[in-house]
């Protein structure tokens, strides 16, 4: 090659810092500190993955029906009209709303039609549409206090608090939330409940209380927000029907695909009283900004083809087996531990002796076992005289893949305290 070409190459390497050239000393490789690989830097900022994962609220990610979902997506995209690839309708694809209306009526006893369903990206998104922002349907600062169950997700309470809502806890007992307290506080206009399976303590809302809370909403001119987070997973008898069926004009039904399929889909739905539909759509805006229209079409086809029903039946059998194995392991290794909330859902509550929850959680962390304590779910304003605090563990038996479940159960049994 020409001498000038070599000289230009050397000059470029010197300019980029790879070489060092000094007059009279020749050209040498530049001394540089060894770079830290980007992957190593990223990993160092993340907490290590737990050895055993029994966190609640997560389905078995390995059980997602990939083949059936891909087939449904292929059929849905082939049949989709051209306009489906344009700006999204904030109410959601008509195809999905139609199959949801049929499915929810058949599986959950919901009374609705497609025009009263609004698709959203999940339960938290639904709460934000209702309470947060300048176009909120129920502006938190003017809608009065919001009643919530005495035990529930702190994330939801935090979201409501950030929107300006004041939450008032309802004590719980073996029949669910004690809704009689709603009438005693004239400031409460809205109640957020999990009637099919109280979260996290377990158990459905008593039939008498279901009727009472609907009567309260009618008399107060208020609303009940029904979080049907895992209503399809009942194991020992047919699922309890949705509270919304008792009065579609006083109950807002909120459901998602997060537990039945995957939280990665970011798909949920609101079944609304007729007078709230336009207000929710105004809060969403003129175009769909959250839920993918293509995922909506795929879910519609998955439900319509029967794939969703087959998947739910398969997962119900799998999770029931997981529950039975948990109960069996506890009966063998820790028979003194009471297990509750196992008739439905994806988790169980293990009752502990008073004063032992914190030490048990420390022992779990030492063994690389991740799970939640019951105290994390207690509303900070729930008075001890209204409902004494109870020590316990919230064990998500759906989370581990099949091959990891036996070791997770062994680790769980190992950290449980002996009988007093």
């Amino acid at each position: 090659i020409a001498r000038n070409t070599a000289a230009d190459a050397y000059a470029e390497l010197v300019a980029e810092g790879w070489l060092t050239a000094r007059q009279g000393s020749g050209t040498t490789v530049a001394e540089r500190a060894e770079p830290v690989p980007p992957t190593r830097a990223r990993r160092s900022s993340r907490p290590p993955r737990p050895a055993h994962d029994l966190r609640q609220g997560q389905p078995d990610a390995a059980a997602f029906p990939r083949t059936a979902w891909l087939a449904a997506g292929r059929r849905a995209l082939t049949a989709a009209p051209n306009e489906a690839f344009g700006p999204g309708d904030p109410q959601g694809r008509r195809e999905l709303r139609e199959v949801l209306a049929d499915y929810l009526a058949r599986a959950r006893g919901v009374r609705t039609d497609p025009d009263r369903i609004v698709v959203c990206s999940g339960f938290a998104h639904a709460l934000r549409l209702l309470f947060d922002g300048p176009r909120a349907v129920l502006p938190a600062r003017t809608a009065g206090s919001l009643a919530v169950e005495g035990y529930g997700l702190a994330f939801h309470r935090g979201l409501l608090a950030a929107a300006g809502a004041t939450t008032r806890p309802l004590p719980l007992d073996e029949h669910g939330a004690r809704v009689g307290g709603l009438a005693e506080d004239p400031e409460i206009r809205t109640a957020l409940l999990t009637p099919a399976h109280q979260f996290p303590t377990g158990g459905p809302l008593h039939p008498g209380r279901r009727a009472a809370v609907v009567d309260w909403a009618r008399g107060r001119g208020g609303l009940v927000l029904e979080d049907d987070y895992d209503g399809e997973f009942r194991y020992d008898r047919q699922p309890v029907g949705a509270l919304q069926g008792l009065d579609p004009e006083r109950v807002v039904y909120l459901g998602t695909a997060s537990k039945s399929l995957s939280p990665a889909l970011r798909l949920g739905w609101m079944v609304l009283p007729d007078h709230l539909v336009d207000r929710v759509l105004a809060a969403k805006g003129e175009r769909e900004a959250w839920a993918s229209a293509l995922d909506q079409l795929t879910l519609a086809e998955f439900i319509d083809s029967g794939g969703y029903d087959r998947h739910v039946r398969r997962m119900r059998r799998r999770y029931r087996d997981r529950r039975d194995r948990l109960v069996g392991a506890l009966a063998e290794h820790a028979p003194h531990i009471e297990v509750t909330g196992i008739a439905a859902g994806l988790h169980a509550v293990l009752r502990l002796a008073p004063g032992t929850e914190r030490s048990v959680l420390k022992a779990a962390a030492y063994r690389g076992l991740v799970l939640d304590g019951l105290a994390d779910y207690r509303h900070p304003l729930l008075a001890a005289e209204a409902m004494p605090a109870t020590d316990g563990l919230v064990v998500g038996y759906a989370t581990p893949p099949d091959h990891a479940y036996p070791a997770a159960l062994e680790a769980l049994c190992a950290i449980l305290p002996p009988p007093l």
Side-chain angles (χ1 to χ4, degrees), residues 36-126:
V36 177
T39 53
R40 189 185 306 168
R42 284 198 302 269
R43 287 173 184 166
S44 65
S45 63
R46 294 179 180 177
R49 293 186 62 182
H52 311 288
D53 193 348
L54 290 176
R55 285 174 288 191
Q56 64 76 31
Q58 302 182 50
D60 181 358
F64 184 81
R66 303 184 191 203
T67 301
W69 183 261
L70 282 171
R74 191 177 299 112
R75 294 192 301 269
L77 291 179
T78 300
N82 291 336
E83 54 86 15
F85 300 91
D89 181 349
Q91 189 162 4
R93 291 296 306 178
R94 180 81 188 186
E95 297 91 333
L96 178 57
R97 290 186 285 116
E98 286 180 348
V99 299
L100 277 175
D102 176 72
Y103 174 79
L104 293 174
R106 170 171 53 84
R108 303 296 301 120
V110 171
R111 295 161 54 193
T112 190
D113 60 65
D115 292 333
R116 294 171 62 154
I117 296 176
V118 174
V119 176
C120 57
S121 68
F123 184 79
H125 185 207

Side-chain angles (χ1 to χ4, degrees), residues 89-219:
D89 181 349
Q91 189 162 4
R93 291 296 306 178
R94 180 81 188 186
E95 297 91 333
L96 178 57
R97 290 186 285 116
E98 286 180 348
V99 299
L100 277 175
D102 176 72
Y103 174 79
L104 293 174
R106 170 171 53 84
R108 303 296 301 120
V110 171
R111 295 161 54 193
T112 190
D113 60 65
D115 292 333
R116 294 171 62 154
I117 296 176
V118 174
V119 176
C120 57
S121 68
F123 184 79
H125 185 207
L127 285 186
R128 290 187 174 100
L129 290 172
L130 291 171
F131 293 100
D132 200 7
R135 293 188 289 184
V137 178
L138 305 170
R141 291 175 176 83
T142 61
S145 299
L146 175 73
V148 297
E149 293 164 331
Y151 280 76
L153 273 178
F155 169 69
H156 293 160
R157 294 196 299 266
L159 189 154
L160 293 167
T166 300
T167 57
R168 306 290 178 84
L170 297 173
L172 304 167
D173 58 25
E174 67 274 16
H175 300 304
R178 284 154 43 186
V179 299
L182 292 171
E184 300 171 4
D185 189 340
E187 295 296 318
I188 296 178
R189 301 291 301 276
T190 309
L192 172 59
L193 303 174
T194 52
H197 185 225
Q198 201 289 316
F199 180 86
T201 62
L205 188 63
H206 188 274
R209 295 183 183 181
R210 288 164 61 93
V213 74
V214 170
D215 289 343
W216 164 82
R218 290 170 178 167

Side-chain angles (χ1 to χ4, degrees), residues 147-350:
V148 297
E149 293 164 331
Y151 280 76
L153 273 178
F155 169 69
H156 293 160
R157 294 196 299 266
L159 189 154
L160 293 167
T166 300
T167 57
R168 306 290 178 84
L170 297 173
L172 304 167
D173 58 25
E174 67 274 16
H175 300 304
R178 284 154 43 186
V179 299
L182 292 171
E184 300 171 4
D185 189 340
E187 295 296 318
I188 296 178
R189 301 291 301 276
T190 309
L192 172 59
L193 303 174
T194 52
H197 185 225
Q198 201 289 316
F199 180 86
T201 62
L205 188 63
H206 188 274
R209 295 183 183 181
R210 288 164 61 93
V213 74
V214 170
D215 289 343
W216 164 82
R218 290 170 178 167
R220 183 67 57 89
L223 284 173
V224 179
L225 308 182
E226 178 177 14
D227 179 4
D228 197 30
Y229 73 99
D230 64 358
E232 293 150 316
F233 294 112
R234 190 170 184 88
Y235 306 119
D236 302 320
R237 59 175 178 149
Q238 287 296 314
V240 177
L243 181 70
Q244 189 266 3
L246 296 180
D247 193 335
E249 290 303 314
R250 288 296 164 193
V251 180
V252 176
Y253 177 90
L254 306 170
T256 78
S258 296
K259 303 297 186 294
S260 56
L261 283 169
S262 168
L265 285 179
R266 308 311 310 145
L267 283 178
W269 40 88
M270 311 169 69
V271 180
L272 297 161
D274 188 61
H275 68 281
L276 290 183
V277 175
D278 288 341
R279 294 167 63 184
V280 169
L281 293 179
K284 284 196 76 176
E286 295 181 0
R287 295 183 178 182
E288 174 57 66
W290 300 94
S292 163
L294 304 185
D295 285 342
Q296 292 181 52
L297 290 170
T298 302
L299 179 58
E301 170 62 25
F302 194 53
I303 296 173
D304 193 47
S305 66
Y308 186 79
D309 285 271
R310 289 190 292 273
H311 174 72
V312 168
R313 287 195 297 269
R314 180 168 64 91
M315 298 313 298
R316 191 182 293 134
R317 290 193 296 269
R318 175 178 290 195
Y319 293 149
R320 181 173 55 206
D321 176 68
R322 294 276 190 93
R323 179 205 65 175
D324 292 346
R325 291 165 68 184
L326 168 65
V327 173
L330 292 172
E332 179 179 356
H333 299 288
H336 58 287
I337 299 292
E338 180 187 3
V339 190
T340 64
I342 59 174
L346 307 181
H347 72 272
V349 174
L350 278 55

